[in-house]
Each structure stands twice: as C-alpha cells, then as structure tokens.
Amino acid sequence: MSLRVGLIGAGGVGHKRAVAVARDARSQLALVCDLDESRAVALATQYGARSTSDWEAAADAGDLDLIIVSTTHDMLSPVSVRALQAGKHVLCEKPMGRTAHEARQATEAASNSGRILHAGYNHRFHPAILAAHEAATTGELGDLILMRGRYGHGGRPGYDREWRADATVAGGGELLDQGAHLIDLALWFLGDIESVNGRTQTAFWDMAPVEDNAFATLNTSSGQTASFHVSWTQWKNLFSLELFGRDGYALVNGLGGSYGQESLILGRRRAQGGVPHEKTSVFDGPDRSWGAEWDAFLRAVEGDETIAAAGNDGLRTLECIGALYRSAASNGAPEAVSG
C-alpha cells in the first residue's frame, strides 16, 4: 500500500516535488493545497488528486500519511507544526522558516509527535556534490582545511515586486534563499560552525531591507573556514563549490540546466609539488536530486539512516543565518552561532 501524500504549496518547487512523489511506487499524491485554488486544481488534476485552498484542513486531513510543505517562507513553520501535530511526517522546504525560532517550533513539534521532519536541501543529492562528500569523508582529500562557494542568478523583470522581496513574507533575501543551501553544505562537510562574519548589501534590486548579495565566512572550532558569496546580481546563473584538504581538493561546478553542466574535479596534491593529478567527472542528464531526496525521506520514515537534512540540520542552518544577519548589522563583526 502506497503512502498518501499531501502537497501544500503548488508553485515551482511544489511541481518538482509532485513529480518525485508520482515516480515513486511507495507514494501517491492524494491532495494538493494552494491559496490560489486554480493553481491547486491544475496540479491536482495532473495526478488524480483532490484539491483545496484550506491549508489547515489539508494539514489535518485524516487520510494522509505525509505532508510536503512548499509555501512562502512565512508559512513554512506554521504549516509544518500543524501537520506534525496532526500526526503526519513532514518534508519542509528550506529554509524551514524565516528564523531559527520558527524552525525550532517545527523541530519541537516533530519531537513531541514522534514524527519525521526533514528540511528540503536537495543539493546534497546532486551527483557531483555526493561524490565530493564521499571523497571528503573517506579521507581522499585528507583533513579538510577550507570550503569556498559561489551561487547566484540575476532575477527577472519585476523580481523586486515578487514575494521574495517582501521582508515580512520572506524574512530575508539572498542569504536565506541560495545562501541557505551553501550553509547546509558547509555544515554537512565541516560539521558545526562556531562563529561567523557576514556582510549584506542591496546593490541593484529595489527591495531594501531585503539583500540581493551576501558575503560570509564561517569558522569551526577546529580552525576550518568556509567562505561564500551569494548573489541576485550574478546575471548568468552560476554554482561553484570548492573543498581543499591537506592531500587534495574537490571542485564542483554547475547544477545542470541553466546553471551549466554539472562536473566534479578531484585533485591530488603531489608530495614533491608541481601540477596536481586531476580526475574530471561529468554528470549529464536530468536533475535527479529531487527524486533521490524523496527516496531518502521515505526511507527515513521507514526507520533507515540517510544523508538527508533532518529538521535539526535545518535549524542549525537558520542559527548560522541569524548569526550572519547579526554580524552584518554590526558591520561584519564576528558573531557566535548560538543554539
């Protein structure tokens, strides 16, 4: 018998989640909810599901086993909490709330209900990033020293009038958007972050106080450093993630589609110096990260250990983001990441 899934939020990400649910024999899309009822109806019709514009009724529905929450940031936590309290397992899109306080409400609801809560960080499942993580965790790169990331796009006409430009709804700008993915990856590769330095700016889009660029350094207690720049003024979509260890490095470029061909370069430092030995892998084909993350979520519900981002991982990411915003407000002064 397949698990019955409710999808709350039928936007672009909701469509990707619906495809992943439908392609897995263990799950069935049973309900689609969106405040725009016509959008809910359109997506539900594709999969033979029913539709509603009442998110509370969707979260409470007695015939559902799992809920996917893919709403705007202001509703991620309230919907997740309601669904968890109703006994559903929940996959909540990143960043799982506007603040760490909102994310903590969801993790506490998961703990109290005994249900699984995952944060939707599908980048962990891109094949180049998976292979880089394997190289790092198996010791191929040696002890990690630093991580560097760049991630950006250029928006579109009218971007400053969309919901992401509304601080009340979004809670923040590019740091909460693409920056959250890089912070999640930093935590996944390096472990807990002790302190951060952050700077934000609104350089182009008419959306202040929401930022369109963010710069950050993240520091672990063992002396590792991660640095990144995320941007809505990149103009041409870009993703780059670099890891350097004592024995070698891993360079990930692209995510497929408009971000360019996904590839991984693994480099091995020569003890005698000179040009390192490099091996390049290219990952063509459609983006399978959404399906892989859905598989991991279902396996977690079944009791398996997976590499997916659990609710507490999402909470830690938002604790780092909160510290970065505090640092930015203090002109980049160091800020401790507190739980």
Side-chain angles (χ1 to χ4, degrees):
M1 180 178 177
S2 61
L3 296 167
R4 293 175 62 82
V5 180
L7 173 66
I8 302 179
V13 172
H15 277 254
K16 293 177 180 179
R17 294 296 183 191
V19 171
V21 171
R23 287 179 175 173
D24 196 306
R26 296 167 294 175
S27 57
Q28 172 192 353
L29 188 62
L31 174 65
V32 177
C33 174
D34 198 279
L35 295 178
D36 182 341
E37 191 164 8
S38 64
R39 193 159 69 169
V41 169
L43 184 57
T45 300
Q46 293 182 42
Y47 297 98
R50 68 184 191 274
S51 62
T52 181
S53 59
D54 185 341
W55 72 265
E56 292 169 311
D60 291 341
D63 64 333
L64 300 179
D65 305 297
L66 315 173
I67 294 287
I68 299 170
V69 185
S70 54
T71 64
T72 51
H73 293 171
D74 58 326
M75 294 303 297
L76 291 173
S77 178
V79 177
S80 295
V81 169
R82 180 81 175 228
L84 289 161
Q85 290 174 339
K88 314 296 193 299
H89 302 289
V90 171
L91 172 58
C92 178
E93 293 302 337
K94 65 88 185 170
M96 224 172 75
R98 294 170 295 184
T99 64
H101 173 71
E102 291 184 351
R104 192 172 294 107
Q105 290 176 321
T107 58
E108 290 175 354
S111 179
N112 292 336
S113 66
R115 293 298 184 262
I116 298 296
L117 169 66
H118 274 194
Y121 283 102
N122 66 298
H123 284 32
R124 293 189 182 199
F125 295 89
H126 274 274
I129 295 174
L130 272 171
H133 190 264
E134 181 178 6
T137 54
T138 58
E140 184 175 348
L141 307 182
D143 292 339
L144 293 181
I145 299 170
L146 65 92
M147 170 181 165
R148 185 165 59 218
R150 295 175 295 146
Y151 198 3
H153 64 77
R156 51 192 161 263
Y159 200 64
D160 51 349
R161 296 188 297 276
E162 297 181 14
W163 70 265
R164 290 189 186 278
D166 185 336
T168 302
V169 176
E174 172 66 330
L175 179 57
L176 264 173
D177 184 23
Q178 294 183 316
H181 276 297
L182 291 182
I183 294 170
D184 173 68
L185 293 175
L187 288 164
W188 192 39
F189 278 94
L190 302 179
D192 285 339
I193 302 300
E194 183 176 65
S195 65
V196 301
N197 303 79
R199 297 295 296 262
T200 61
Q201 67 179 140
T202 308
F204 176 83
W205 295 102
D206 183 16
M207 55 173 58
V210 172
E211 76 280 355
D212 56 19
N213 280 267
F215 308 83
T217 58
L218 299 84
N219 313 292
T220 71
S221 59
S222 58
Q224 300 157 312
T225 299
S227 66
F228 70 76
H229 171 215
V230 291
S231 176
W232 285 338
T233 61
Q234 181 70 38
W235 309 133
K236 179 175 170 48
N237 291 0
L238 177 143
F239 179 86
S240 170
L241 182 71
E242 302 171 303
L243 291 149
F244 297 89
R246 291 187 176 276
D247 299 325
Y249 51 87
L251 313 178
V252 176
N253 287 294
L255 294 170
S258 63
Y259 284 89
Q261 187 179 59
E262 186 172 341
S263 67
L264 169 68
I265 298 173
L266 288 176
R268 186 76 179 180
R269 182 180 65 82
R270 298 180 188 272
Q272 68 273 25
V275 178
H277 173 74
E278 288 190 339
K279 176 184 177 182
T280 300
S281 301
V282 173
F283 303 91
D284 289 321
D287 181 357
R288 295 184 174 86
S289 65
W290 304 93
E293 186 177 37
W294 183 246
D295 168 72
F297 179 58
L298 294 183
R299 288 192 289 110
V301 168
E302 294 165 354
D304 293 344
E305 293 287 334
T306 77
I307 62 165
N312 284 329
D313 296 322
L315 172 58
R316 284 193 288 271
T317 292
L318 274 169
E319 287 171 345
C320 287
I321 288 173
L324 283 165
Y325 277 131
R326 293 194 299 272
S327 174
S330 302
N331 294 315
E335 187 73 29
V337 178
S338 56

